[in-house]
Amino acid sequence: MIIIKKKYLMLIASIILFILVFCIIKETYSMSHYQTVNFSTGLVTASKLNVRQGPSTSYKIVTQVDKNEYIRVFAQIGKWYVVQVEGDYIGAVSKDYVKPIYASSNGGTTDDEGNTAGKTTVLSEDEKEVFNLINKQRENAGLSALVINDELQNVARIKARDMVQNNYFSHTSPTYGSPFDMIKNFGISYKTAGENIAGNSSNSKAVNAWMNSEGHRANILNGSYNQTGIGVVNSTKYGKIYVQMFIGK
């Protein structure tokens, strides 16, 4: 009888403790409901954007993202976005400093005001070098040079960042699907299309590796392609991730 009473008392105490802890947690960590968003990519507009552990400035900063970097957006909590950024960091950022990037059904990508995004593309130094190296290979083969398609350039960068953020190396993205699906979903029309990807420590080594691979070389020297987009993103695993998308119109 004594043993039964002790077990009974311990059960009651456990229930009371659980209720108290639950009430404290609910009071301390209550938050706004998650809101869904109708876009998955955002462009950072602040010079340095703090990524915090939660949707308030009272939470600690876990990392920072530079201006004009693309980030993945999952949801909204009040005035904050729940995001994933390079380095596989998950956190919250102020929505005031993130411009939503939408896939347009009639021509490219647009921001939240309906303006076409990516129309004044400026290649990074890495992207510019890869672009010139690729066109040198085409020139050597007697082919016309590729030209940068601003919208495709934007898509290639997003794909490269997606590969780094989600830690995969594949033509098929868990976020955007195949390169053909991705190009179409961002509103870019084409007759022919292709994609090269690489992980390497230098631009010249990446292009050389492509040229030494039959399938990659075939894309680079494909006479039906006339436009391209090149994304180069730093990677802790490879040094840099490269995505080159090709289309023919």
Side-chain angles (χ1 to χ4, degrees), residues 5-94:
K5 285 184 178 179
K6 284 183 178 179
K7 287 183 177 180
Y8 183 71
L9 290 173
M10 289 176 64
L11 178 61
I12 294 175
S14 298
I15 293 172
I16 293 173
L17 180 61
F18 174 79
I19 293 172
L20 288 173
V21 171
F22 177 79
C23 291
I24 292 171
I25 292 175
K26 185 176 180 182
E27 178 68 24
T28 305
Y29 297 104
S30 61
M31 63 177 64
S32 304
H33 292 294
Y34 280 84
Q35 300 172 341
T36 59
V37 292
N38 60 347
F39 63 96
S40 60
T41 302
L43 181 68
V44 175
T45 59
S47 57
K48 288 283 186 181
L49 181 62
N50 293 327
V51 181
R52 297 181 178 272
Q53 290 179 336
S56 165
T57 54
S58 62
Y59 287 91
K60 291 183 179 179
I61 298 171
V62 294
T63 189
Q64 289 184 320
V65 185
D66 293 328
K67 187 175 183 178
N68 292 328
E69 295 285 346
Y70 290 101
I71 60 177
R72 188 178 182 191
V73 181
F74 296 106
Q76 182 177 336
I77 303 176
K79 295 183 178 180
W80 296 76
Y81 287 138
V82 180
V83 302
Q84 180 183 30
V85 302
E86 186 174 350
D88 283 336
Y89 290 103
I90 302 291
V93 299
S94 172

Side-chain angles (χ1 to χ4, degrees), residues 150-197:
D150 288 331
E151 293 158 356
L152 194 62
Q153 175 66 27
N154 180 48
V155 175
R157 284 176 176 169
I158 292 173
K159 173 66 179 289
R161 187 160 301 283
D162 184 58
M163 289 175 65
V164 171
Q165 290 176 348
N166 290 294
N167 193 30
Y168 72 94
F169 188 84
S170 172
H171 289 291
T172 301
S173 161
T175 310
Y176 302 101
S178 74
F180 311 105
D181 292 334
M182 188 175 183
I183 293 170
K184 287 180 180 177
N185 289 337
F186 274 83
I188 302 172
S189 61
Y190 62 86
K191 292 180 180 178
T192 57
E195 178 186 72
N196 282 352
I197 60 175

Side-chain angles (χ1 to χ4, degrees), residues 140-156:
N140 292 342
L143 297 170
S144 61
L146 298 170
V147 297
I148 292 293
N149 178 302
D150 288 331
E151 293 158 356
L152 194 62
Q153 175 66 27
N154 180 48
V155 175

